[in-house]
């Protein structure tokens, strides 16, 4: 057997053995630890979602958003924080893409002030995405203060985008609000994460 094939066989056997041990423990402990039963079965733990979203300004939307994401199945609080960061980053990318499309497709018809506002918003959302990338690293090292800092900076970027548009009512303002709500979901989860792991 080649070394790579042998290594792959060993790792796949090890993973299968770990799965059997974890699954066996889940069944053995299912009666005494009901909250872990859902996680072991790959279901969303609603009690954990309630806990994660308890500090969100829109608790119902926080729960709904996290529950719909397949990565929430079996996730602990830290896993839910990663899901929330990914969802906020996806929204930031969507807003950025929408603004770039508006600029490209309407370059000759947009008022120069609106063009500048959109260009500023693109820059702000580029910064917001960088802040959310920093959040992933901060969560990985369990640096919750930095997570809060970077999420608040990302929220400020959305606020600056609103200001750049000069009070214009638009789809972008609605997307900015959705982005802020997703960022607040991250902050809600961070508030219930234990201080030290």
């Amino acid at each position: 057997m080649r070394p790579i094939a042998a290594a792959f066989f060993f790792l796949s056997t090890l993973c299968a053995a770990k799965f059997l041990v974890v699954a066996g423990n889940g069944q053995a402990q299912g009666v005494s630890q009901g909250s872990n039963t859902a996680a072991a079965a790959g279901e969303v733990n609603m009690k954990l979602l309630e806990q994660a979203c308890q500090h969100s300004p829109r608790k119902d939307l926080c729960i709904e958003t996290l529950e719909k994401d397949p990565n929430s199945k079996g996730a602990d609080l830290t896993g839910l924080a990663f899901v929330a960061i990914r969802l906020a980053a996806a929204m930031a990318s969507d807003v950025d893409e929408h603004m770039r499309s508006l600029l490209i497709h309407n370059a000759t018809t947009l008022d120069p002030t609106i063009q500048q506002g959109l260009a500023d918003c693109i820059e702000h959302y580029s910064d917001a995405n960088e802040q959310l990338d920093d959040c992933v690293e901060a969560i990985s090292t369990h640096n919750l203060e930095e997570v809060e800092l970077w999420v608040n900076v990302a929220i400020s970027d959305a606020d600056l985008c609103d200001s750049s548009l000069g009070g214009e009512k638009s789809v972008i303002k609605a997307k900015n609000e959705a982005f802020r709500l997703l960022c607040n979901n991250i902050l809600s989860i961070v508030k219930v994460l234990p201080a030290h792991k």
Side-chain angles (χ1 to χ4, degrees), residues 42-144:
E43 297 173 8
V44 177
N45 184 331
M46 292 307 292
K47 285 186 178 183
L48 201 60
L49 286 184
E50 290 274 341
Q51 180 185 0
C53 294
Q54 69 185 338
H55 298 289
S56 177
R58 290 282 313 273
K59 182 178 176 180
D60 58 330
L61 187 62
C62 176
I63 291 170
E64 179 183 336
T65 305
L66 291 173
E67 184 181 13
K68 284 183 180 178
D69 192 285
N71 295 307
S72 294
K73 292 181 180 175
D76 61 4
L77 285 172
T78 302
L80 291 175
F82 282 118
V83 170
I85 292 168
R86 188 183 51 73
L87 290 171
M91 176 57 81
S93 295
D94 178 59
V95 176
D96 182 274
E97 185 179 312
H98 181 76
M99 290 182 290
R100 288 178 193 277
S101 177
L102 283 175
L103 274 178
I104 291 169
H105 292 77
N106 302 297
T108 58
T109 59
L110 282 176
D111 180 89
T113 307
I114 294 175
Q115 284 181 354
Q116 185 58 52
L118 287 171
D120 290 345
C121 279
I122 290 168
E123 186 176 321
H124 294 308
Y125 269 94
S126 176
D127 289 344
N129 261 324
E130 288 177 20
Q131 309 310 328
L132 293 171
D133 285 344
D134 291 338
C135 285
V136 171
E137 185 177 334
I139 284 278
S140 297
T141 60
H142 210 68
N143 189 340
L144 303 183

Side-chain angles (χ1 to χ4, degrees), residues 22-43:
V22 170
N25 282 343
Q27 289 174 350
Q29 295 173 355
V31 175
S32 63
Q33 295 180 347
S35 62
N36 288 338
T37 304
E43 297 173 8

